[in-house]
Amino acid sequence: MRATVINGRDVAKKQYAKMSETIFELKKKNITPCLAIILAGDDPASVGYVSLKERTAKSVGVDCRVFRLPADVPQCEIEGLIDSLNKSDDVHGIMVQLPLPAHIDANIVLELIIPEKDVDGFHLVNSGKLTNRMTGITPCTPRGIMELIAETGCAIAGKHAVIVGRSMVVGTPLALLLLNADATVTVCHSKTVDLASYTHTADILVSAVGCKGLIRGDMVKEGAIVVDVGNTRVDGKVWGDVRFDEVSEIADFITPVPGGVGPMTIAMLIKNTVEAACDKAQ
Ligand code: NAP
């Protein structure tokens, strides 16, 4: 295999090691960073993600309070909970596990979280700050991807970065982060004609689609950095967007699925919470 595998679990561990000193300093001031997670319903994937976030947060000394609500919870009840968490002095980060049940308007709910506690970075204030190159809270998956790219030791400035997928959770904020790091950025999506003609010119290729095996070896430039965000469950197994066996023979760096972007998303959620606690302590 040609490519070096960027192990997201190892990169996440380094992040926790860096955070532990900050958490220690906060605890000396009687502050324990605290993340509140709102989970509505019992979607098995969401339940699994939330318990992983809770376990990981607690394992690094961050308090995590999970509010498990029934699937038929009225929107006003979620709104009331967010209001009380916004006002709570000992809660530093609030996240709502998506997707919410169909009768809940997620856009309204997410905008109720005060921007200082919006550790998912989805609030319009935080996305506006990212667009305007101002300091705010950065969405977790794109922030984690930037750390994975940094791990390669390769410069981003001047490189051609191609992102496949333009969601507000991954593709769009990542495009801004890469642009702010002086890459030349192309964003592809479902209406892109001849996807391979773009991916083939990418020094940095990030696929965030959720389509098993979309990126073939013959779509990748030799020596590229390839980050696979895709997470598709087929017959109980998780698959990325990238055909790992083919692409790892062409690229210089590649992230695996699982064990690539996923652990970094959680690490950045916890980092955003610790940073929110630091900001409040100042
Ligand atoms: P999403 O909101 O469904 O967005 C998917 C994007 O892919 C859309 O922009 C869509 O284009 C584009 N697309 C669909 N089919 C395409 C095709 N054939 N060619 C090119 N583009 C195509 O999904 P998301 O929330 O961004 O998540 C994407 C994937 O990443 C999912 O598998 C998700 O589970 C995974 N994910 C993983 C993590 C993690 O921590 N590991 C975190 C977040 C997401 P249009 O805009 O034109 O519809």
Side-chain angles (χ1 to χ4, degrees), residues 118 121-132 137 139 168 176:
D118 165 42
F122 294 157
H123 194 284
L124 287 176
V125 166
N126 283 315
S127 55
K129 284 184 173 176
L130 179 59
T131 310
N132 288 285
I137 300 181
M168 295 314 293
L176 291 166

Side-chain angles (χ1 to χ4, degrees), residues 41-271:
D42 53 7
D43 169 64
S46 294
V47 169
Y49 290 139
V50 167
S51 64
L52 187 56
K53 287 167 187 173
E54 183 181 20
R55 264 186 283 128
T56 310
K58 287 181 173 168
S59 74
V60 298
V62 169
D63 188 13
C64 185
R65 300 180 198 166
V66 180
F67 296 84
R68 292 181 171 83
L69 307 172
D72 61 354
V73 60
Q75 173 144 343
C76 61
E77 204 172 300
I78 299 184
E79 292 179 3
L81 176 58
I82 291 176
D83 186 46
S84 70
L85 294 170
N86 279 339
K87 289 175 181 151
S88 166
D89 272 339
D90 53 0
V91 170
H92 305 100
I94 305 168
M95 70 148 294
V96 177
Q97 185 64 41
L98 300 176
L100 282 166
H103 66 284
I104 306 284
D105 186 328
N107 289 328
I108 291 178
V109 165
L110 294 176
E111 285 308 301
L112 290 175
I113 299 171
I114 55 170
E116 299 79 15
K117 296 191 182 189
D118 165 42
V119 283
D120 258 338
F122 294 157
H123 194 284
L124 287 176
V125 166
N126 283 315
S127 55
K129 284 184 173 176
L130 179 59
T131 310
N132 288 285
R133 297 185 177 215
M134 291 163 68
T135 305
I137 300 181
T138 306
C140 305
T141 303
R143 191 176 186 188
I145 293 168
M146 294 301 284
E147 294 289 349
L148 290 169
I149 295 171
E151 189 67 19
T152 67
C154 301
I156 293 176
K159 298 283 167 55
H160 183 206
V162 175
I163 304 165
V164 190
R166 58 175 165 179
S167 75
M168 295 314 293
V169 177
V170 190
T172 297
L174 178 64
L176 291 166
L177 288 173
L178 286 164
L179 203 55
N180 292 351
D182 295 328
T184 301
V185 180
T186 301
V187 181
C188 302
H189 45 78
S190 68
K191 308 293 185 293
T192 298
V193 176
D194 193 5
L195 180 65
S197 68
Y198 297 95
T199 58
H200 207 262
T201 63
D203 303 304
I204 299 168
L205 174 61
V206 181
S207 186
V209 174
C211 175
K212 179 190 167 202
L214 176 72
I215 307 296
R216 305 182 308 269
D218 63 1
M219 295 167 75
V220 175
K221 182 178 174 181
E222 211 169 288
I225 298 169
V226 179
V227 178
D228 189 352
V229 190
N231 196 299
T232 309
R233 195 168 277 277
V234 180
D235 296 332
K237 197 173 168 220
V238 173
W239 299 87
D241 292 348
V242 176
R243 298 185 190 197
F244 187 91
D245 291 351
E246 293 176 24
V247 174
S248 60
E249 295 298 338
I250 314 286
D252 271 359
F253 295 94
I254 188 167
T255 63
V257 176
V261 173
M264 288 304 291
T265 297
I266 296 181
M268 294 302 105
L269 176 68
I270 294 170
K271 190 171 183 171

